[in-house]
Amino acid sequence: MKRKNWDCVIYVGIVVLLFCGTALSISHVNRTDKYKKMIVAAKDVPMWQADTQPLVSENEFKHNFIEANHQGKLATQLSPDDLSGIVLPGLRGAWSVDHRSRKASFGNNWVPQGITQDNQYIFVSLYDGDHQRNSLIMVIDKASQKYVKSLILDSKSHVGGLAYDPQYQRLWWSNDGTQFAGLSYTDITNIKQYQPTKDRPTLKSERIAIPWASRTSGIAYHNYEMFIVKYGLNAATRTIAVMPFDANTGLPTDNQRVEVVYQGTSFKEYVETLFKEKKISALASGFDRMQGLAITKSNLALITQSNGDDNSVLMVVQPNGQTGDKFDYRDDVKDAKKIQVPSSVEQVSLDNTSQDVSLIFESGAKMYREQGQHPKIIDRIVTIPSQIVQ
């Protein structure tokens, strides 16, 4: 080829590269611009309530979810008919209180974290990405799929986990402190009666400290035990601990209220002390990057695993055969069913009757959608049929 022709090819190549780079840059700017406009002002939302408008259309939501599943080679291939979605309240904006002043404050940067449900309601927790306002729990009616109210909590904890005790009708949530983990709870009666006011804006609740745990990334309640998931990138930092509850009270045993100080010569000795004192009934290392956990009536464990910008995974794990139906899920489980879902998955929840599976994602939060950090936005509570995971 002549030199002139080579120069032409090189020139065209440079132009194409510049055009592609510019196009990507413009695309990112357009995306940021688009989602910056997807917020509402305080004047547009009634006091103490949350905005309920979607960020994406129903078709786009379903496309984003299905595409992630079909890209992978993991277990299940979902179709649009397998999915239903309820728009997450508050992603465009919601009222809470300023953590310091305790005065009403409107925010646009709410990040979804936990989900649980009873027979009437779905509960979803969100924390303020600006770290100024108290965290919220959204109450959604299951029959109408409509937003009911926001529960304003008494802290700005990340509220990584939610769980519901159907026998004692108590809603539990992660309420970690600055030194160690904690759980808070309230009765369904308090939830139904709750109406925030200027003088009493926060929900009435009780808190129980967990001195032996550093933090809670997710929680699940099953057969008088609280399962506490700790997120970690590897076996050295992740755990699932099982905390026994008293069947007569539906509360942690009295032993939980006595602190066990880490004074042993090794971490192994400390764990042995926790077992001896009956503060924990089981302990497993679990899986990398665990976010949420739910346990089916047949004792399957559903575990959500986030993978940064890459697709997340919903794992269906059988109990270890050597321990029957007791909790003992380990990394060497090779027959775990894996379902690929979009990035930034958080907690998972089960309908008590149908055993249908509900998931939430944090990709719709302002702090993530504007940066384009997660390419596929899921702004819904996503429910898939129980047979998909069985």
Side-chain angles (χ1 to χ4, degrees):
M1 186 180 286
K2 295 181 179 179
R3 173 59 184 267
K4 185 176 181 180
N5 290 339
W6 270 114
D7 289 345
C8 183
V9 170
I10 293 171
Y11 174 76
V12 170
I14 292 172
V15 169
V16 169
L17 288 172
L18 287 173
F19 175 79
C20 290
T22 303
L24 288 172
S25 177
I26 290 173
S27 173
H28 180 76
V29 170
N30 287 343
R31 175 193 171 100
T32 302
D33 237 19
K34 173 184 176 182
Y35 290 119
K36 277 185 176 178
K37 295 174 183 177
M38 284 191 172
I39 58 173
V40 292
K43 65 180 178 60
D44 300 320
V45 180
M47 180 68 76
W48 308 123
Q49 295 186 30
D51 178 77
T52 59
Q53 295 302 307
L55 296 169
V56 299
S57 68
E58 183 175 0
N59 286 340
E60 185 176 350
F61 140 64
K62 289 193 172 186
H63 171 79
N64 288 347
F65 199 98
I66 295 298
E67 185 179 48
N69 181 259
H70 286 189
Q71 282 176 352
K73 297 179 180 178
L74 303 177
T76 306
Q77 295 291 294
L78 298 169
S79 72
D81 293 337
D82 294 324
L83 301 177
S84 64
I86 302 173
V87 175
L88 267 170
L91 292 180
R92 290 173 176 261
W95 285 93
S96 180
V97 293
D98 183 275
H99 185 65
R100 292 186 177 181
S101 71
R102 309 288 287 180
K103 293 181 179 179
S105 179
F106 188 80
N108 297 109
N109 197 9
W110 296 101
V111 185
Q113 291 290 287
I115 180 171
T116 193
Q117 54 194 296
D118 67 3
N119 291 332
Q120 184 176 0
Y121 301 115
I122 297 173
F123 305 98
V124 177
S125 64
L126 306 95
Y127 74 88
D128 177 23
D130 296 326
H131 308 291
Q132 296 177 4
R133 300 165 188 86
N134 283 16
S135 299
L136 300 171
I137 295 177
M138 299 298 175
V139 183
I140 299 152
D141 184 87
K142 292 178 79 168
S144 67
Q145 300 191 343
K146 301 294 185 183
Y147 164 80
V148 177
K149 65 173 77 173
S150 304
L151 309 177
I152 302 174
L153 306 184
D154 62 358
S155 77
K156 57 185 180 72
S157 166
H158 276 204
V159 201
L162 287 179
Y164 187 77
D165 172 2
Q167 179 176 346
Y168 287 94
Q169 298 187 319
R170 290 191 182 117
L171 177 66
W172 291 84
W173 61 91
S174 303
N175 192 1
D176 296 344
T178 54
Q179 293 182 317
F180 39 72
L183 294 171
S184 285
Y185 68 92
T186 195
D187 297 332
I188 194 68
T189 301
N190 289 333
I191 292 172
K192 290 182 177 181
Q193 294 176 348
Y194 170 74
Q195 292 295 336
T197 64
K198 181 179 178 181
D199 295 329
R200 294 185 177 180
T202 58
L203 176 70
K204 179 182 177 182
S205 64
E206 302 291 335
R207 183 179 185 274
I208 297 172
I210 311 176
W212 50 265
S214 59
R215 67 180 184 276
T216 54
S217 304
I219 60 174
Y221 186 80
H222 182 67
N223 288 345
Y224 305 113
E225 292 180 318
M226 186 69 77
F227 294 70
I228 298 175
V229 177
K230 179 183 175 184
Y231 176 92
L233 298 176
N234 51 55
T237 56
R238 66 180 189 241
T239 56
I240 303 177
V242 186
M243 181 176 172
F245 273 42
D246 188 331
N248 295 317
T249 64
L251 297 172
T253 60
D254 289 338
N255 289 334
Q256 296 296 344
R257 302 173 190 275
V258 180
E259 182 174 355
V260 175
V261 182
Y262 182 20
Q263 294 178 334
T265 57
S266 69
F267 180 71
K268 180 181 178 181
E269 289 182 359
Y270 181 59
V271 170
E272 289 175 350
T273 301
L274 293 178
F275 274 105
K276 182 179 179 180
E277 296 291 330
K278 297 183 179 179
K279 293 185 180 297
I280 60 175
S281 56
L283 186 70
S285 60
F287 299 84
D288 293 347
R289 302 177 303 281
M290 294 179 297
Q291 293 286 5
L293 168 69
I295 301 172
T296 71
K297 290 179 179 178
S298 59
N299 210 52
L300 293 173
L302 307 184
I303 298 173
T304 50
Q305 180 187 55
S306 62
N307 295 301
D309 293 345
D310 295 332
N311 287 334
S312 304
V313 176
L314 171 63
M315 293 185 286
V316 186
V317 186
Q318 294 276 358
N320 184 299
Q322 297 177 349
T323 55
D325 61 359
K326 295 297 286 183
F327 181 85
D328 190 16
Y329 303 98
R330 302 185 184 278
D331 301 319
D332 59 2
V333 176
K334 296 177 181 178
D335 59 348
K337 183 176 183 179
K338 297 181 179 180
I339 301 169
Q340 198 147 319
V341 297
S343 64
S344 74
V345 72
E346 288 295 326
Q347 204 173 2
V348 56
S349 176
L350 287 164
D351 182 277
N352 190 49
T353 303
S354 68
Q355 294 286 279
D356 287 347
V357 181
S358 294
L359 302 166
I360 58 169
F361 300 77
E362 65 179 8
S363 53
K366 177 177 179 289
M367 63 190 295
Y368 298 124
R369 68 179 186 253
E370 287 188 4
Q371 299 169 7
Q373 187 168 344
H374 301 298
K376 302 296 183 183
I377 287 181
I378 303 296
D379 64 346
R380 261 85 162 170
I381 300 165
V382 185
T383 300
I384 56 179
S386 59
Q387 60 265 28
I388 296 293
V389 299
Q390 297 299 326

